[in-house]
Amino acid sequence: KTKKNILAVSINANGENSHISYRLYNNLQEIVLDSNIIKSNIKLHDVLDALDTVVLQNEMIDVISIALPGVMVEGNVYSGIEGGNHQLKELLEKRYEKEIYLINDVNAAVVGYYASQNQYKSIAFLFQPIGRMAGSGIIVNGQLVRGMDHLAGEVALLPLKLSNDYFTLANTPEGTLELVSKNIMSIIAIVSPEAIVVYSDLILDSQDVSDEIKKSLSQYSLKVYPKIIKVENILEYILLGAMILSAKE
C-alpha cells in the first residue's frame, strides 16, 4: 500500500457539462475528502482555482494525480482543457511543489474498474460521451497498455466507416450504438479482451451492443463472445484508478 496522501482529480466532459471532481485519499487509501464542481466549459484557470483551494486547506497532500481527456506527452496535454495545449505538469509542479501525475481519464477508468473485480485478466473500457469523441483504456494480462507516447486506446484515431459524421452520431441513441459497436469491434480485432466495459448515457441496454457485436462476429461461429458490461458511473473508476496509478509510481 502507498504511504502517500494522494489527491485524485478528474476533469471530465460529457454532453453540455464538464466536471472537476476530486477525492483525497490518506496514506491508508481511505477517502477523507470528496467534491465535485460543474462548469459549462473547463478552462485552465478553473482547474487552478479548484486545486488552489483544496491544496491550501489540506497540507497533508503529497501527490496530485490528474485524470483528463486527451493525450499526455512529456507533461504536455493535447486537448482535454479548453484553450489549447498546456505544459501542465511543469506548471503544477512549480505552483504547488508537489509530485504531479497526469493520466488519460479512460486509462484511469480501466485501472479503477480492473481493481474492483477479480473475474477478468484482460479488459477494455470504452467511454462514449454525448456529442464528443470516444476514448478507451485497455488492460491485457493485468497490465495497462499505454503504447508509444501513451497513444494506445485513442480510438479517435480509428478510420471508421460511419453512416454519418461522428459528432452527429454521438448525439443520438441509434448513432451512439453504431459508434460504440464499431469502436468495440476495433478493440476486439486488436486485443480481444474477455470483457469490455461501456460508459455512455445514450446506450440504454448493454444487450443492444452485445447483439451488434455477435452480428459482426457471426461468420466465426464463436462459442464465447467478449462480455459487454454497461456501467452507470465512470467517475468512481477514474478517481480510484488515478489514485492507484500514482501510488505505484
Side-chain angles (χ1 to χ4, degrees):
K1 284 194 173 184
T2 177
K3 300 291 186 185
K4 298 173 182 175
N5 299 297
I6 298 171
L7 179 68
V9 182
S10 168
I11 299 168
N12 183 277
N14 189 13
E16 294 180 356
N17 286 329
S18 298
H19 297 254
I20 303 173
S21 306
Y22 53 89
R23 185 172 290 171
L24 179 56
Y25 294 87
N26 66 15
N27 57 13
L28 299 176
Q29 296 186 352
E30 298 166 335
I31 299 168
V32 295
L33 178 67
D34 199 349
S35 192
N36 184 45
I37 299 165
I38 300 175
K39 298 269 186 179
S40 55
N41 286 295
I42 292 176
K43 297 181 173 64
L44 182 58
H45 72 80
D46 296 319
V47 178
L48 297 178
D49 286 350
L51 290 177
D52 284 351
T53 303
V54 71
V55 170
L56 185 66
Q57 293 174 351
N58 297 274
E59 294 181 1
M60 63 187 280
I61 295 169
D62 300 306
V63 182
I64 302 173
S65 180
I66 303 179
L68 68 169
V71 179
M72 321 297 158
V73 182
E74 296 178 355
N76 289 311
V77 180
Y78 295 90
S79 80
I81 300 174
E82 194 176 283
N85 304 328
H86 301 283
Q87 280 273 17
L88 192 58
K89 190 170 190 290
E90 184 182 339
L91 186 155
L92 296 178
E93 283 171 344
K94 286 181 178 175
R95 190 178 184 96
Y96 301 116
E97 298 181 340
K98 308 279 186 188
E99 193 178 326
I100 304 295
Y101 188 82
L102 299 182
I103 182 172
N104 171 270
D105 56 348
V106 197
N107 279 349
V110 77
V111 169
Y113 187 89
Y114 183 84
S116 305
Q117 57 83 51
N118 54 18
Q119 189 174 356
Y120 305 108
K121 287 291 181 190
S122 296
I123 63 172
F125 197 117
L126 181 71
F127 173 31
Q128 176 57 67
I130 299 170
R132 299 171 188 260
M133 298 297 285
S136 77
I138 298 165
I139 286 179
V140 175
N141 296 326
Q143 298 296 314
L144 177 64
V145 179
R146 297 177 187 268
M148 186 179 71
D149 282 338
H150 297 203
L151 279 175
E154 285 295 323
V155 290
L157 300 175
L158 291 169
L160 298 177
K161 186 177 180 181
L162 301 172
S163 65
N164 205 332
D165 172 72
Y166 196 108
F167 298 106
T168 302
L169 293 172
N171 275 299
T172 68
E174 300 80 11
T176 299
L177 180 60
E178 177 185 342
L179 294 175
V180 167
S181 300
K182 288 183 175 178
N183 277 319
I184 285 176
M185 283 303 301
S186 300
I187 293 169
I188 290 171
I190 298 165
V191 294
S192 192
E194 300 161 85
I196 298 167
V197 183
V198 177
Y199 176 69
S200 175
D201 289 337
L202 294 182
I203 295 292
L204 304 178
D205 188 346
S206 63
Q207 190 59 48
D208 295 338
V209 181
S210 296
D211 291 345
E212 288 294 316
I213 300 306
K214 287 177 182 177
K215 201 187 302 177
S216 300
L217 292 172
S218 58
Q219 60 182 304
Y220 297 108
S221 302
L222 300 178
K223 291 185 175 66
V224 180
Y225 293 89
K227 176 74 173 172
I228 306 298
I229 301 164
K230 182 179 185 299
V231 294
E232 301 301 327
N233 186 340
I234 193 173
L235 188 59
E236 289 295 317
Y237 301 117
I238 290 176
L239 292 172
L240 178 59
M243 184 274 289
I244 290 169
L245 284 163
S246 62
K248 286 180 177 177
E249 286 295 299

